[in-house]
Amino acid sequence: MTDDIRFTPLVRSLPATVPFVGPETLERQRGQVFDARLGANESVFGPSPAVLEALAEGGKGIWMYGDPTAFELKGALATHFGIKRENIVVGAGIDGLLDSTVRLFVTHGDAVVTSDGAYPTFNYHVVGYGGTLTKVPFRDDHEDLDALLEAAQRLKPKLIYLSNPDNPMGTWHSATKVLSFADALPRETVLVLDEAYSEFAPADALPPLDMSNRRIIRMRTFSKAYGMAGARVGFALGHPDLVGAYDKVRNHFGMNRSALLGARAALADQAYLQSVIDRVAAARDRIGEIAKAHGLDPIPSATNFVAIDCKRDGAFARAVLQGLIERGVFVRMPFVAPEDRCIRVSAGTPEMLYAFAAALPGALKDVEAACQK
């Protein structure tokens, strides 16, 4: 019984939920670890050796709190991007920054626009603060800029969310299109531009870093290309007036001291970053080859994963996914039709992709057999 616990009316109205079911949960259910962890879009190639050294060194001082201003990391990021410290806020991954962003702008009944099937953690935070979500469908496996803009012009939302490149499809829009979209938004709307996969994107997909625009906040992370998903280090870039407001609501001591040191080491090792980008590109090609060998269609990707069109409906793709999980290969899939006709496979080591290639034929055979009954 929770009737005597004085939750807010909003919290009472919400279901308990987790945006993503973690692979560890699935492993506990199976009673066995996965042979290939290819569903969480992590970098299986790991961080730079310099990061591991920094984390180990940082552990000696773990008795101290981390710098609540992230001064050194913000300085390194400012130098790297050619901007100023006051254009940067650091947080516990993009997830933590999305929480702060929504808290800054959204209260009960405020309109927010996103794409149906886009990153669910953003939606989780909006609902958690009482916002009203309007979702528009993808079009041709891309975020539909025209539909998003129409909704924004009609609703005048506090926030509009766009990922570029996007998750879960891995597709992207050109920087020119993104800037035109941003310029056409209502003046009262802030664009949350999630660029978690920016390091993998073609150069013409990323708008120049214009820190004079007060209506765009750009999200970046060390979780993907830099291989530090478990460390939870993200950052957002924007106008000082926008970035400065985060100090009113963010968790100032939410950053792990060692993780801050590791992020600086990661940023300094751009040669290692390039090697990861190259390995991811090779893995994407290999995933595409495996898909095509079994009559499936890989969707061109600017991320560290590939969405594979199973060429049937969502029920078929879910059955394929389950067949892979039963064979020790963890993958995920989009949640919303028609994108849920796909499974989504993260870039993996050759050994992991070998496991995927070995498991896929059996998974497909079982599903086809079930469909014929």
Side-chain angles (χ1 to χ4, degrees):
M1 295 289 292
T2 60
D3 291 346
D4 60 337
I5 302 177
R6 300 178 67 185
F7 295 121
T8 66
L10 173 61
V11 169
R12 285 182 180 274
S13 73
L14 296 175
T17 184
V18 177
F20 291 104
V21 176
E24 294 82 4
T25 299
L26 297 174
E27 287 174 335
R28 286 191 292 271
Q29 293 171 354
R30 298 177 69 237
Q32 189 176 359
V33 299
F34 287 112
D35 298 320
R37 181 167 164 145
L38 298 172
N41 301 346
E42 302 146 327
S43 176
V44 303
F45 307 109
S48 159
V51 172
L52 299 179
E53 292 177 9
L55 293 173
E57 185 64 26
K60 298 175 183 178
I62 205 66
W63 59 273
M64 295 181 281
Y65 290 109
D67 178 2
T69 70
F71 183 83
E72 296 293 343
L73 178 56
K74 287 201 290 187
L77 288 166
T79 298
H80 180 74
F81 289 113
I83 56 179
K84 298 179 179 179
R85 279 191 178 88
E86 52 262 39
N87 297 125
I88 305 166
V89 57
V90 174
I94 288 179
D95 289 356
L97 290 166
L98 288 175
D99 181 25
S100 295
T101 304
V102 174
R103 187 179 176 191
L104 278 173
F105 290 97
V106 177
T107 189
H108 187 75
D110 284 340
V112 176
V113 171
T114 186
S115 296
D116 195 12
Y119 193 51
T121 304
F122 176 72
N123 304 354
Y124 171 83
H125 291 310
V126 171
V127 171
Y129 285 104
T132 300
L133 272 170
T134 293
K135 297 186 280 188
V136 305
F138 276 55
R139 183 177 66 187
D140 299 327
D141 295 328
H142 288 68
E143 298 227 36
D144 189 340
L145 298 183
D146 292 337
L148 287 167
L149 182 59
E150 186 280 329
Q153 291 173 339
R154 173 167 46 88
L155 298 170
K156 307 294 191 292
K158 291 286 192 70
L159 298 174
I160 188 165
Y161 174 89
L162 173 69
S163 56
N164 193 57
D166 81 71
N167 180 7
M169 302 309 291
T171 53
W172 69 99
H173 290 287
S174 70
T176 300
K177 289 183 177 179
V178 172
L179 288 175
S180 295
F181 168 77
D183 288 344
L185 290 173
R187 290 190 58 80
E188 54 266 65
T189 299
V190 170
L191 170 61
V192 180
L193 183 56
D194 186 339
E195 298 176 319
Y197 300 95
S198 58
E199 289 84 6
F200 304 112
D204 64 358
L206 302 177
L209 291 179
D210 177 10
M211 298 294 98
S212 68
N213 193 322
R214 295 160 57 93
R215 297 187 298 119
I216 302 179
I217 188 73
R218 299 173 67 161
M219 304 285 175
R220 302 284 181 95
T221 186
F222 284 91
S223 294
K224 304 302 181 184
Y226 287 104
M228 295 183 63
R232 311 309 300 131
V233 187
F235 56 100
L237 311 174
H239 188 281
D241 292 348
L242 189 55
V243 166
Y246 282 81
D247 280 341
K248 299 180 180 182
V249 300
R250 71 182 179 88
N251 181 356
H252 290 257
F253 286 95
M255 292 306 305
N256 178 288
R257 182 181 184 89
S258 294
L260 289 171
L261 293 172
R264 286 167 53 196
L267 191 66
D269 195 347
Q270 291 294 302
Y272 183 82
L273 173 67
Q274 185 58 55
S275 75
V276 170
I277 292 170
D278 293 342
R279 280 182 279 182
V280 165
R284 286 198 309 250
D285 289 344
R286 178 63 184 134
I287 294 168
E289 291 170 356
I290 295 167
K292 291 176 182 177
H294 296 89
L296 309 181
D297 292 338
I299 294 174
S301 172
T303 65
N304 67 341
F305 62 84
V306 177
I308 297 175
D309 187 346
C310 293
K311 303 170 76 171
R312 300 280 282 275
D313 60 8
F316 183 88
R318 276 186 288 277
V320 173
L321 179 145
Q322 187 58 39
L324 290 169
I325 287 176
E326 291 170 357
R327 289 166 171 80
V329 177
F330 168 60
V331 301
R332 282 200 174 116
M333 64 182 291
F335 299 141
V336 176
E339 284 69 46
D340 69 347
R341 71 189 191 283
C342 301
I343 59 172
R344 194 196 67 193
V345 182
S346 303
T349 63
E351 294 78 14
M352 290 180 180
L353 296 184
Y354 178 85
F356 170 59
L360 183 59
L364 288 169
K365 182 179 179 180
D366 286 353
V367 179
E368 292 285 3
C371 290
Q372 293 171 8
K373 289 181 180 179

